[in-house]
Structures are given as structure tokens and as C-alpha cells.
């Protein structure tokens, strides 16, 4: 397969446009990582100022989505990208979409922090939250890093982590339901934690989608809706 | 703006490819509508056979996603579409993504039906469910119809309906929380209904996204993340 570089076109303008899209995608990724961090901290410390900040950051994330989609549409219209350039544009478009949805979920987490604050309580005692939160943030970071370094192995590792997080999420939800039944006074608070967990789990799913886009970009294989062991096998054959 | 037709290219092959993508998108839309219908009925009647059917249909939806994405990638690589052809390809790609996610949510609704059945209960007494379910199904149908007829007004109407559904969803969730607190024996059942409501609300969001893609396709305007009154104003100016 042809090598992925951004400086092999005769048109310097084309090279610059591809590099521009890449740079803006990474900026958007950094912003979303930051937003998730702020939202998660707002939840753990029930800090409404931080929560308001995370919700406000979502507007900047949305703006970047529109801007990058405009850039990639321009490249499609004017440069007729083919092969790895086309895969790059498709991967950027899909990843922008996933990042925007991560931003939506981060804003939802911040809203749960505000609701917890309104009811004068916090997520104390819900130990699962911190653990899953840390894992999901790692996944997001690793998926973006895999995109930056065109690293299909790192992307595959993110997909494995997503399966682990999904299992832990299921356990955490069951624990919460038991707690609610044992002590109905916790219902409202437990629901806030539950919605926040749900958003974290969805962010993990989007990180997995980013990882799938990285594999498509680097290996030229569409690995969506496939079992992980099949994907691993398929990628080994390509090496 | 140039007219949207599929028979104006000198290449008969290109015409056929565009028409093929349109036809497959509509087929996928029909399948997802059917899947949502089956999932919703499985929930209302706590019918595990129907639920299993809805979950199985998700595999076909996923297959269509991969197939149509392949078709559009081929068109991008070989035909260098521009102007309305490019907008068409971008709209199809985005809509395929939204349809696939609707399918995921439909499968999640079916899973709640199975959990309700396992616990020997049903969604009786949760009147909000039927109402929101009907509205969301109408939205999905109308958004696909708007795509088929290139009808920006119908698309705008779907966006209005989504705002109404979001409000009703908020009210329904608050009612459910009150019920859970009043009678903790309903907690488990109420949570199943809550997750199903959440999935319905998400399906509504995706129908709104499809509507936004229709407006982009027909009017050439990216109306994402904009307020509805601003969009209405902007579209009026274009007429």
C-alpha cells in the first residue's frame, strides 16, 4: 500500500490543505480531551463553575466540527483525492463526527454535576465512576495519539479497552440499581451517577470508532462490526 | 443553485452509481424503520420473539452501512463528484451513519423488552412511552421521506418535532423518577422504561440529523448547531 505522507503532491497547496486538516483535527481532539477532563472533574468535585466551563467548551468543539467539515469538503471538491488521500479525508470526517459526539456527552456529564450540586449531594460512594472515567479518558487520548502516529496497533489496543470498559459499565450499573433498591433515598443521586456513567461509556464507544477510522486509514480495511479476534487475525495477515 | 437530478451526466455509469446509492440508502432507511417498529412493539407487548427479531435485524442494518459506504467511497475515488453530486454523497454518508445508530438504539430498546420479560413485568402505567414512541417513529419516516423528495420544508418540520420530543422526554423522565421514589418496588421496571425512552429520544436526534443533511443537500447550507428560528430565517432568504 502507498505510504501516507503529506508532502508528496506536486501541488504545494494540496499538501498544505491536507496538513491543515490534520492539524485542525488534532486541535479539536485536544480540545475535546480537555473538555472531558473538565466535565469529569466537575462531576467528581461537584463544581458548578467547572461544569459551566465544560458546557461552554462544547460550543467551541461544535465550531471546529463545522470548520473541519468545510475544509474536507473543499478538498474533495477541488483536489479529487484518491487512494490514501481519500482514506485520510474519510477518516478525518468520521473522526470529527465522533469527537463532536464526545463533546456532547461531556456536556451531559457536566449537567449531571450541576443536578447533583442542586440537590446538595455528590457522587461519594460510587467508586466505579472514577475508575471508568480514568479508563475512558485514557482511551480517548490513545485513539487520538494512534491517529497522529498512524499506529494501527495502538488503535487495536483501544478497541480491546472498549470491550473491558463495556463489561465494567454493566457491572457498575447493576451495583447502582442494587443500591437504589436497598436505599431509595439514594435514587435521585444514583440516577445522576448512572447518566454520567452512560455518557462515559458512550465516549468510550466513540474512542473505539476513532480507532476503527485509524485502522481504515493505515491498513485500508473497514473493520466496523467485526469481532476483535477476526480483526486481529486480518491485520496480522497484512503485516 | 444547480438542479438535483441523477440523469444529467454524460457517463451513464456515473448516473447509475448515484441512483444506486440513493436506492440503497432508501432501502436501508426502510429496514431501520421496520426495525424500530419491531423493537417498539416488542417493548409494548413484552414479546421476546419480536425483541430477538429486532436485535437480529441490526446485523442487516450494519451490512447495509458497510455496503453503502463502499459505494460512496468508490464514487468519490472514481467520479470526482462536485457541486450537488458531492453534497449528495456527503449527505448519504452522514445519513447512513445516523441510520446505523438508530439501528443500535432500536436493538437497545429490544434488550429492555427482554429484561422486562425476564422480570415478569411490562411497561404498563408508563403512558409516556407510547406517545413518544409514536412521535419518534413519525419523525424517522418523515426525515427519510424528506430525503427521498428533496423536501427542505419537511426536513425543517422534523427539526421542530425533535424540539417537542426533547421536552416531552424530559417530562417523562421526571415522572418516572417520582414514581420510583414513591414506590421503590417499581425501580427495576422504571429503569427499563427509562433506558427505552432514552433510546427513543436518541433516535429522534438522529432523525433530526437526517433532516439537517437533507437541508444541506437541497439548500447547500450547513445548519448544524444553529437555532431553529435562525435556520428558518436563513432558508426563507434562499427561497
Amino acid at each position: 500500500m502507498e505510504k501516507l505522507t503529506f508532502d508528496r503532491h506536486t501541488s504545494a497547496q494540496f499538501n498544505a490543505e491536507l496538513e491543515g486538516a490534520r492539524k485542525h483535527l488534532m486541535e479539536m481532539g485536544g480540545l475535546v480531551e480537555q473538555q472531558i477532563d473538565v466535565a469529569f472533574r466537575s462531576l467528581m468535585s461537584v463544581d458548578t463553575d467547572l461544569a459551566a466551563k465544560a458546557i461552554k467548551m462544547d460550543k467551541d468543539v461544535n465550531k471546529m466540527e463545522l470548520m473541519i467539515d468545510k475544509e474536507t469538503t473543499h478538498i474533495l471538491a477541488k483536489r479529487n483525492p484518491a487512494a490514501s488521500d481519500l482514506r485520510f479525508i474519510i477518516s478525518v470526517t468520521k473522526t470529527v463526527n465522533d469527537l463532536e459526539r464526545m463533546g456532547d456527552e461531556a456536556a451531559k456529564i457536566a449537567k449531571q454535576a450541576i443536578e447533583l450540586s442542586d440537590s446538595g449531594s455528590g457522587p461519594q460512594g460510587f467508586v466505579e465512576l472514577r475508575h471508568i472515567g480514568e479508563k475512558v479518558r485514557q482511551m480517548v487520548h490513545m485513539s487520538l495519539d494512534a491517529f497522529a502516529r498512524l499506529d494501527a496497533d495502538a488503535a487495536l489496543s483501544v478497541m480491546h479497552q472498549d470491550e473491558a470498559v463495556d463489561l465494567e459499565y454493566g457491572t457498575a450499573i447493576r451495583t447502582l440499581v442494587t443500591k437504589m433498591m436497598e436505599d431509595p433515598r439514594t435514587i435521585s443521586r444514583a440516577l445522576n451517577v448512572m447518566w454520567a456513567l452512560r455518557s462515559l461509556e458512550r465516549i468510550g464507544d466513540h474512542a473505539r470508532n476513532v480507532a476503527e477510522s485509524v485502522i481504515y486509514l493505515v491498513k485500508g480495511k473497514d473493520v466496523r462490526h467485526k469481532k476483535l479476534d477476526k480483526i486481529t487475525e486480518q491485520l496480522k495477515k497484512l503485516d
Side-chain angles (χ1 to χ4, degrees), chain A residues 99-113:
Chain A
L99 287 174
E100 192 271 332
R101 283 166 204 245
M102 286 185 202
D104 286 346
E105 298 296 339
K108 284 180 193 170
I109 292 171
K111 279 172 195 156
Q112 298 305 323

Side-chain angles (χ1 to χ4, degrees), chain A residues 130-150:
Chain A
R130 181 172 300 278
H131 183 66
I132 292 180
E134 294 296 345
K135 279 212 165 175
V136 165
R137 285 195 294 169
Q138 272 171 25
M139 282 175 66
V140 174
H141 184 75
M142 204 164 169
S143 67
L144 289 166
D145 202 49
F147 201 115
R149 293 187 292 109
L150 302 171

